[in-house]
Amino acid sequence: MTATPSRPRRTTRTRTGLLCAAVLTALAAQTLTAGAPALAGTAATGAVRTDDGRDCERTRGPLGAKARQVLDIARRAKTELKLKAVLLRVEVDGREVVTDALGESMTRVPARPDMHFRAGSVAFAHIGTALLQLVEEGKVDLDATVEPWLPHLPHADEITLRMLANNTSGLHDYVTDPEFQAKLEAEPFRQWTPKELVGYSLDHPLWYEPGTSWSYSHANYVLLVAALEKITGTRIDVLLKERVTGPLGMRETRNDFTPDIPGPVLHAFTADRGLYEESTFWNPSWTTAPGAVITSTVCDMARSARGIGSGELISPDSYPTLLNPGTIGLGGASATCPETVCLKQTEDFHFGLGVIVTKGWIVQNPSFSGYAALQAYLPAKRLTLAVSATKTVDTPDGNMAQEVAKRIAAALAPANPL
């Protein structure tokens, strides 16, 4: 899956992927929308609601065999991986198999399924779907260059909306820039602007001619958000609520223009800076554009996985583009781009339009600042997985929510390893 190369840490442990992490291991100069007040959101005062109106709470009543199997796997994984908390929801054909929470949010504070956490790159899946909707409506051409909306961006007459959405623009990832890494580590509460973030990417030449290879870059989605706001005249948080999270009934998924997280909160901890410390309210403004910095719940994330993965909000003609917008066959080492950056895109493993496609699963896997999560949908079995996990001081590096989900998938869909 999309992995951001790790940045050095002061310990021997390697910093895990930032935002879109863990499986592919290995603004522009114009002023953009920033710092606007968020839409009024409803902070949870009790259990939050699922899309069918039920509370996002532990599965009631006697558990079926499949639910017991999933929980046994999750409990073993929590112990073996030394996790602090694991939140999970599994569905088949849109029906709940099991929802639960294991471990603690903080010391002596039990984890609950309705706790909110940072969902990072899950927003990219929503942005990709919203872009396809606009294409269907004739409001924009996927292969239009971004020059009309981002005229000051170098190569704006070569880079298209499709290239930003599927990571084929050739732009460097600012997250891997050493100067950026040092500042982020030193100032985890800093508020970043889109212009500052993309500036680090533009300090480097393109890895390749736009559209000719593949490489992950957070800058692509910062710029894509800026273009979409210009195209629609609508702030991105409003646009995604109108087009994606609202129609899917994701009542507990929201953008914040501050580091706030609505309650109840799943707290996060990390040793990214060499000392195991709480990172819950580190400022996530560096992760993507203002308005697309989201928090969610495991129930909402399951709804997102199913809604995006099934193509519920787009036409049958657009669905193949969601899964392969031209990335298969791209990537691989070249004279200008190492294979650790220009990762080979294959039928079994490639980046779609804001999603990752692997062995038939449609996935997003955010991991940063002590939070790890995964949403995954397998169309062949109409199987939905949503997992969130947090760390203890002894947790291995990597996206451990993905590792938990991998073990569940191996039991429920052995022909489609996650």
Side-chain angles (χ1 to χ4, degrees), residues 32-47:
L32 302 180
T33 305
L39 288 178
T42 304
T45 54

Side-chain angles (χ1 to χ4, degrees), residues 90-327:
V90 177
E91 302 172 352
V92 174
D93 204 17
R95 294 187 293 272
E96 178 189 25
V97 173
V98 65
T99 304
D100 212 330
L102 312 174
E104 295 181 320
S105 170
M106 297 186 293
T107 302
R108 299 179 66 84
V109 178
R112 293 165 39 181
D114 63 346
M115 285 180 163
H116 298 79
F117 50 85
R118 300 205 189 281
S121 57
V122 166
F124 297 173
H126 302 165
I127 292 167
T129 285
L131 174 59
L132 285 173
Q133 291 174 350
L134 293 170
V135 172
E136 289 174 5
E137 295 163 11
K139 294 179 179 177
V140 73
D141 183 342
L142 197 57
D143 293 312
T145 68
V146 298
E147 188 174 23
W149 311 290
L150 306 175
H152 300 294
L153 175 68
H155 305 282
D157 59 343
E158 302 173 74
I159 295 173
T160 66
L161 294 170
R162 183 194 300 266
M163 293 173 195
L164 293 180
N166 69 9
N167 283 285
T168 60
S169 69
L171 288 165
H172 274 239
D173 188 0
Y174 58 80
V175 170
T176 64
D177 182 280
E179 183 181 346
F180 171 80
Q181 292 175 355
K183 289 184 179 179
L184 180 62
E185 181 170 298
E187 303 177 69
F189 296 100
R190 174 174 173 167
Q191 180 77 25
W192 293 86
T193 68
K195 184 176 179 180
E196 288 173 328
L197 297 174
V198 176
Y200 286 103
S201 293
L202 298 180
D203 283 343
H204 304 271
L206 295 180
W207 283 115
Y208 45 81
E209 183 180 341
T212 62
S213 189
W214 186 95
S215 55
Y216 186 76
S217 174
H218 289 78
N220 287 321
Y221 273 80
V222 177
L223 290 163
L224 180 58
V225 164
L228 289 176
E229 290 185 331
K230 292 287 186 68
I231 290 164
T232 63
T234 305
R235 215 172 58 193
I236 194 66
D237 58 316
V238 178
L239 186 72
L240 295 182
K241 185 173 183 179
E242 290 175 347
R243 290 182 169 270
V244 180
T245 60
L248 291 180
M250 296 171 61
R251 300 176 185 88
E252 298 301 322
T253 299
R254 55 176 270 185
N255 162 78
D256 281 290
F257 287 95
T258 75
D260 190 25
I261 301 177
V265 177
L266 179 67
H267 286 248
F269 304 83
T270 184
D272 280 354
R273 303 198 304 163
L275 173 71
Y276 183 69
E277 58 188 327
E278 178 163 5
S279 51
T280 307
F281 297 107
W282 283 4
N283 196 319
S285 59
W286 62 271
T287 59
T288 192
V293 180
I294 64 171
T295 54
S296 192
T297 66
V298 73
C299 292
D300 264 18
M301 210 163 60
R303 184 66 182 105
S304 171
R306 175 162 47 95
I308 299 298
S310 67
E312 181 178 333
L313 300 178
I314 55 177
S315 71
D317 289 340
S318 293
Y319 188 62
T321 302
L322 175 76
L323 303 187
N324 177 25
T327 49

Side-chain angles (χ1 to χ4, degrees), residues 1-5 16-26 214 216 340 343-345 348-351 356-359 361 363-367 373-375 397-403 405-406 417-418:
M1 314 205 162
T2 51
T4 314
T16 53
L18 298 170
L19 188 60
C20 258
V23 173
L24 293 179
T25 9
W214 186 95
Y216 186 76
T340 53
L343 300 163
K344 189 67 176 177
Q345 304 289 287
D348 280 347
F349 194 80
H350 62 274
F351 205 90
I356 302 151
V357 181
T358 175
K359 297 288 187 180
W361 291 89
V363 175
Q364 259 301 350
N365 60 338
S367 177
L374 178 134
Q375 68 170 45
D397 284 328
N399 185 325
M400 291 298 105
Q402 184 169 283
E403 180 61 31
K406 176 182 175 181
L418 184 57

Side-chain angles (χ1 to χ4, degrees), residues 77-97:
K78 178 184 177 297
T79 299
E80 293 170 7
L81 300 172
K82 299 177 172 59
L83 299 172
K84 190 169 189 66
V86 175
L87 280 53
L88 62 92
R89 183 175 173 91
V90 177
E91 302 172 352
V92 174
D93 204 17
R95 294 187 293 272
E96 178 189 25
V97 173

Side-chain angles (χ1 to χ4, degrees), residues 368-400:
F368 64 100
S369 300
Y371 282 106
L374 178 134
Q375 68 170 45
Y377 182 75
L378 182 61
K381 291 186 174 293
R382 297 182 181 177
L383 174 60
T384 301
L385 304 181
V387 181
S388 177
T390 56
K391 302 176 179 181
T392 67
V393 68
D394 297 315
T395 302
D397 284 328
N399 185 325
M400 291 298 105

